[in-house]
Amino acid sequence: MASTAATAVALATPLSLSPLPPPPPPPTRRFRHRLPLVVLSSSDARSSFVAWVQACTSPFGSVVSPPTMPSTSLRSLKRTWKLRSLIEPPLISADDQWGVWTALFATGAFGLWSEKTNIGSMVSAALVSTLIGLTASNVGIIPCEASAYSMVLEFLLPLTIPLLLFQADLRRVFRSTGKLLLAFLLGSVATVVGTVVAFLLVPMRSLGQDSWKIAAALMGSYIGGSVNYVAISKALSISPSVVAAGVAADNVICAVYFMILFALASRIPPETSKSPSDVSVSLELDSGGKIPLLQTATAVATAFAICKIGTSITKLSGIQGGGLPIITALVVILATTFPAQFGSLAHSGNAISLVLMQVFFAVVGASGSISNVINTAPSIFMFALVQVSIHLALILGLGKLFRFDLKLLTLASNANIGGPTTACGMATAKGWDSLVVPGILAGIFGVSIATFLGIAFGLTVLRYM
């Protein structure tokens, strides 16, 4: 009984709980981030652990926190390494001005040299320079952004236009080209119609606002030439990757198209005689001789003066992106008003403009992304293919209806798609000596008007389609 009572009293008495001792401090850890327990295969575990340790001990650890290892996949590690690749500086840093300028001009020189090879002559110097710049920036040799690139776009690109158009005497074009100019205008209309049809069939919606812009740029290119493509791309602010994809698609299309034109003209015989006037003019336009030093210096100084006047007019008028079109208009007006003075500078200006154009294409490639180019090029290629196919069908069909010679139609189409250089090359190769100079002048006329047509058509028509 006593033990029972004692037990009851003990149960009735409240328990007094003493406070628990504080937990021991955590052990000192060497790494700030604890490695979570995951179940991976042995090979995955080894590669994941090595990548995690390298990320934790990276010199950028204070800026980019180490990643947390995934429990099922390595996607977070891939994102981390992508970020690290953007942080790591290229071999030639953006601050190394001499290094960047050396890379740009070396790329341009290699592009020009490549046209002496079989492969380079098929794809053109422009595409070679673009691809080299694209590859060099994406593998970390040169930067994807640099102040030198902005200088090329702001100064060297506008300088190219007057240097290329010193012989754009429109009175001489109308006087010397004759029926070829009418065929060229017919081809220009065919290009415009082809652009509308191609944009309806291949709208390139994945490019967003760049879709109608690149369509306008390609339209200008297939009326004038590469300089118009460049000018329209800059005036409409097309993204570099889309510009690079357009260059790649355009060069493939042109290579195939020129073979088709030569096949169509294969049965047209060469001319048997050559007039003295054509000999003198073609020799004057030949670029194989020496470039006089005084003419070269005068050409550069004149081009700078025209660019200064053009940019000043653009600032006063407040026209957004109007610099290159105004510079083009100025040099065409001056070359038409003073043909002898500006014509004497054309030989020197052409050589310099070719070099500067290759530097620009190197910048286009360096500013682009290989993945973006690969994703965008197929749609642009299909658009250009439809565009050029409609052009060819219309110029041949309407040309036959209006009783143009096939020789004039093929040469005019060549001047539309390739510009004055390829038109001169085709006329020379086929032995059409009387059409060498008219082909050059028709191509120059296209270069003179294509920038205005491309920008105006893009802003007023393609933008709202």
Side-chain angles (χ1 to χ4, degrees):
M1 294 291 293
S3 62
T4 303
T7 302
V9 170
L11 291 173
T13 304
L15 295 175
S16 61
L17 299 176
S18 60
L20 295 175
T28 303
R29 290 179 299 176
R30 185 168 184 178
F31 298 101
R32 292 184 300 164
H33 296 266
R34 185 173 56 189
L35 181 66
L37 182 61
V38 294
V39 180
L40 297 171
S41 64
S42 59
S43 60
D44 288 341
R46 283 195 301 269
S47 60
S48 302
F49 179 77
V50 170
W52 179 82
V53 171
Q54 290 176 344
C56 290
T57 57
S58 166
F60 302 102
S62 59
V63 179
V64 182
S65 59
T68 302
M69 291 184 62
S71 58
T72 57
S73 69
L74 300 177
R75 276 182 292 180
S76 62
L77 283 176
K78 292 180 180 178
R79 288 195 296 267
T80 302
W81 286 115
K82 183 178 180 180
L83 179 61
R84 283 170 54 81
S85 65
L86 294 175
I87 295 176
E88 291 178 354
L91 183 63
I92 301 176
S93 67
D95 297 329
D96 184 3
Q97 297 289 344
W98 285 108
V100 173
W101 284 109
T102 300
L104 292 179
F105 275 90
T107 301
F110 183 83
L112 291 173
W113 171 84
S114 69
E115 289 197 332
K116 296 182 178 180
T117 65
N118 294 331
I119 298 178
S121 60
M122 288 190 298
V123 299
S124 82
L127 182 58
V128 172
S129 299
T130 302
L131 292 179
I132 292 177
L134 183 67
T135 305
S137 67
N138 281 264
V139 301
I141 298 177
I142 60 177
C144 59
E145 293 182 0
S147 59
Y149 302 165
S150 301
M151 293 180 67
V152 170
L153 298 177
E154 187 175 355
F155 297 104
L156 297 189
L157 176 59
L159 195 67
T160 303
I161 295 176
L163 290 171
L164 189 65
L165 292 177
F166 280 149
Q167 55 185 355
D169 179 8
L170 296 185
R171 290 180 299 183
R172 183 183 177 191
V173 170
F174 296 139
R175 184 175 61 249
S176 304
T177 53
K179 209 171 179 180
L180 178 63
L181 182 60
L182 297 177
F184 179 86
L185 293 175
L186 180 62
S188 300
V189 174
T191 297
V192 174
V193 176
T195 302
V196 175
V197 175
F199 198 72
L200 292 174
L201 296 178
V202 190
M204 301 180 290
R205 293 189 181 92
S206 61
L207 303 183
Q209 284 297 309
D210 281 336
S211 60
W212 66 268
K213 296 178 181 179
I214 195 64
L218 287 172
M219 189 189 93
S221 177
Y222 296 150
I223 293 176
S226 298
V227 66
N228 304 107
Y229 176 85
V230 169
I232 296 172
S233 299
K234 185 175 186 298
L236 299 180
S237 301
I238 305 177
S239 60
S241 295
V242 176
V243 175
V247 171
D250 170 63
N251 280 276
V252 174
I253 293 291
C254 286
V256 177
Y257 189 76
F258 292 148
M259 289 189 290
I260 295 174
L261 287 182
F262 272 91
L264 290 173
S266 59
R267 296 186 179 182
I268 302 176
E271 298 175 357
T272 56
S273 61
K274 186 172 183 177
S275 64
S277 60
D278 290 336
V279 175
S280 61
V281 178
S282 61
L283 288 176
E284 175 188 337
L285 295 175
D286 184 19
S287 59
K290 293 183 178 179
I291 299 177
L293 183 60
L294 178 59
Q295 290 183 358
T296 303
T298 306
V300 173
T302 305
F304 268 103
I306 293 173
C307 291
K308 169 59 181 175
I309 297 173
T311 52
S312 299
I313 294 175
T314 304
K315 290 179 181 178
L316 292 175
S317 61
I319 301 176
Q320 184 71 21
L324 296 182
I326 291 177
I327 291 172
T328 303
L330 281 176
V331 68
V332 171
I333 292 172
L334 291 172
T336 304
T337 308
F338 308 101
Q341 291 79 3
F342 281 85
S344 63
L345 304 177
H347 183 51
S348 303
N350 284 337
I352 302 173
S353 65
L354 288 176
V355 176
L356 297 183
M357 282 294 293
Q358 298 312 309
V359 174
F360 167 78
F361 283 118
V363 170
V364 168
S367 304
S369 165
I370 288 180
S371 60
N372 289 342
V373 169
I374 292 175
N375 293 331
T376 6
S379 60
I380 298 178
F381 177 83
M382 289 304 301
F383 172 85
L385 180 62
V386 175
Q387 185 183 30
V388 172
S389 300
I390 297 295
H391 162 88
L392 181 62
L394 285 179
I395 193 173
L396 292 179
L398 294 177
K400 185 177 182 180
L401 179 64
F402 294 126
R403 298 183 179 181
F404 282 94
D405 291 337
L406 182 60
K407 178 167 62 175
L408 292 178
L409 294 175
T410 53
L411 186 61
S413 180
N414 192 307
N416 277 132
I417 303 301
T421 305
T422 58
C424 174
M426 182 177 185
T428 304
K430 297 298 296 181
W432 304 335
D433 299 324
S434 66
L435 294 177
V436 171
V437 175
I440 294 173
L441 295 177
I444 292 173
F445 176 72
V447 173
S448 303
I449 65 173
T451 299
F452 305 102
L453 293 177
I455 294 175
F457 195 79
L459 292 173
T460 57
V461 178
L462 296 175
R463 187 178 186 178
Y464 301 102
M465 289 181 63

